[in-house]
Amino acid sequence: MKIVDIDHLKINALLPTPRGVALALLEICQREDVTTNEITKLIKTDPALSSRLIKKANTSHQRSRAILSVSDAVSYLGLNVVKQLALGFSLIDQFHHGACQGFDYQKFWSHSLLMAIAAQNLGKSRQLCPVDELFTCGLMARIGCLTLATVYPEKYTELLEQKTPDTSLIDLEKQYLQTDHNELTAALMINFGIPRIMVEAIYYHEMPNESDFAEDSRPHQILHLFSMAKQIADFGVSTQSDRDKQVPKLVFLGGKLSLDTELFGAFIDQVMDEWQAWCELLKIPAIKLPPFDKMVNAPAPRTGNAEDAISLRVLVVDDDPTNLVYMEGVLSGSLGHTVYKANNGEQALSLAMEVTPHVVITDWLMPVMDGLKLTKSLRATEWGQSLYIIMLTCLEEEDEIIEAFNAGVDDYVIKPINVRAFRARLRAAWHYQKLQESWERDREQLKRFAAELAVTNRKLEYLALTDTLTELPNRRAGTDALMKAWSNANRSNQALYVMLIDVDFFKKVNDTYGHAAGDQVLKKIASALQTSARNSDTFYRVGGEEFMVISQNTGDDTKSIVVFAERLRKHIAALQINCSGSSIQVTVSVGVAKKDAKMKIQDDLLSAADKALYMAKNTGRNKTCLYFQDKILNCDSIKK
């Protein structure tokens, strides 16, 4: 990762920087003795920031009780997230407009906000890092573009004018300015105090294949999360024609997320709804999109080049019976189409709903409902969007023809009808219908493929996180769960315990009875652990004969967790495991540790539990030891 030297560029005075309460907040937080009360009082001086933080706290997770005060929002979000959000909101307020004429400031923030919301929602199910940090990093993922537009307004306008769909913005930036927005974004985010793992993911999110992160590592997963969030943001701010092209790519993305088309559509709709609400709060424009399932099921584009004619259902509408008979003869005779007839627009509309024609050929001037009103009525329906409509008219005035096309007509034929010319016009309908059927087939194949991919990915995720022998979550799942539990405990100040359980003399079981019997012993122990679990406990197999228990929300009663550990130990010791005619009994040793203020990361808690387990094994086995206040205690003494 290359990070530009901001000092070397000598542009510090021009860089986007926080002001007002956000700047004061960053400065006061540098004091080691700063209190939450001081921070809350400062934030309350800015009503806009106060309301935004409260909204952010309430939208981060589903909560049984709404957060209504600034102090609760600060406590819930945590100081680091509050600082980052204040910074982001401050920059939005300052840079609604600017000096760079070629830079769309409103679209930039709309895209940034959508990327922030998408990243946050993608992160909720992945447990990679706090979702509020994902929101902030998504919001500032392209802050380098704003920086270049601010520092070099004329040059940046000039290079943006050179931008085409086939040219790279990064290449143009390096050509004109000898740096690019990703380098500047990384430098600014480090200056803002964003964790380096997030900075590196943001740096590569536009070019994920250029990173050297190990496959499936945490940085690799965060990188691809931001890359997916950008795809969703690009989709949200695109023009309608560009969105239509991106829909298949986005459906495929849903499959990679283990979501079928319906579930992924609900996910996208939720993201877009949150985007609308946030844009309204921050006074940023946002495009109102239709539901995702309607975009997936939209009619095929009206372009194509099919060769073969196909049989069409054609609805002919004319108040002249002679014309109807003539048209039926032309269409059903040599051309072989199925023809339906109606005398006016109202009758045609009712018949069209029943027979769903491919083509509607309608006269313009008719009683009850004319052809123009019929066209508009058909186009107002979802199924009517895919019809091919030909207008019959005696009018050749340019204004009338334009009016017909504006109403939704695809083609027109001047009366009296020239049969050869009319047949040639019908080939356009054949081409369109051929394309429509091909589009429908491709779309259904894509939806089936996305659904199959989602199911496959869910199975792979289950296998990747599950121990196949015991069907308990495996070590990887336990590591992810401990990280999440650690974060929740930091946020809520609730107690957190880790328990490590190791089967005593397990090698002897394998040597005496065989590995098949050893597998049965492990399965029985896993089953016994699951049946003994409380609501706050989750069990994992983290090694050959080693299990881990994570206990959350257990209050501050250390004695209760020790009693629970002892109950597990005695329950396993009492098991009679029958295998191939042999009755096997085993015991376990247990190490317990509680999260305390001296522990800085979750690995410290795991290490403490491991030390307690080591003591239990080395002092006779079949016992429970507790790591408590830098000491390891035999749990017999605690029970007394």
Side-chain angles (χ1 to χ4, degrees), residues 14 43 178 324 337 445 592 608:
L14 300 173
I43 292 173
Q178 291 73 56
L324 284 178
H337 299 309
Q445 288 176 356
V592 183

Side-chain angles (χ1 to χ4, degrees), residues 17 27 41-42 80 88 103 162 177 187 193 241 286 289-290 325 385 433 458 474 486 519 531 544 619:
T17 54
E27 291 173 347
K41 287 176 64 176
L42 179 60
N80 284 336
F103 187 73
Q162 304 299 316
L177 303 171
S241 59
L289 302 183
V325 172
Q385 297 292 318
Q433 185 58 32
R458 282 197 290 269
N474 62 14
W486 181 273
D519 287 348
T531 56
T619 55

Side-chain angles (χ1 to χ4, degrees), residues 461-595:
E461 285 177 4
Y462 174 79
L463 292 174
L465 297 173
T466 304
D467 174 58
T468 54
L469 175 65
T470 63
E471 297 187 354
L472 287 177
N474 62 14
R475 185 183 191 90
R476 177 180 172 185
T479 301
D480 292 344
L482 182 57
M483 181 177 66
K484 182 181 179 183
W486 181 273
S487 177
N488 289 341
N490 283 338
R491 190 189 300 273
S492 61
N493 293 322
Q494 291 178 326
L496 173 63
Y497 294 88
V498 164
M499 190 185 307
L500 292 179
I501 302 171
D502 189 85
V503 183
D504 298 327
F505 301 111
F506 185 69
K507 183 176 182 301
K508 185 177 179 181
V509 173
N510 282 332
D511 291 343
T512 304
Y513 302 101
H515 288 276
D519 287 348
Q520 288 299 314
V521 168
L522 293 174
K523 291 173 70 173
K524 290 291 185 180
I525 291 175
S527 177
L529 292 175
Q530 287 179 307
T531 56
S532 303
R534 304 168 301 176
N535 290 336
S536 59
D537 305 315
T538 49
F539 292 81
Y540 307 86
R541 184 187 178 195
V542 294
E545 64 270 23
E546 189 173 353
F547 301 85
M548 179 175 71
V549 187
I550 300 175
S551 295
Q552 304 177 70
N553 306 324
T554 56
D556 198 30
D557 186 1
T558 302
K559 185 175 180 179
S560 66
I561 196 73
V562 169
V563 170
F564 174 58
E566 278 290 273
R567 187 169 74 245
L568 287 179
R569 182 183 65 81
K570 292 176 180 178
H571 180 51
I572 292 170
L575 289 176
Q576 296 286 337
I577 303 171
N578 296 314
C579 183
S580 301
S582 300
S583 180
I584 305 172
Q585 280 188 288
V586 294
T587 61
V588 295
S589 299
V590 184
V592 183
K594 177 187 177 183
K595 179 182 182 297

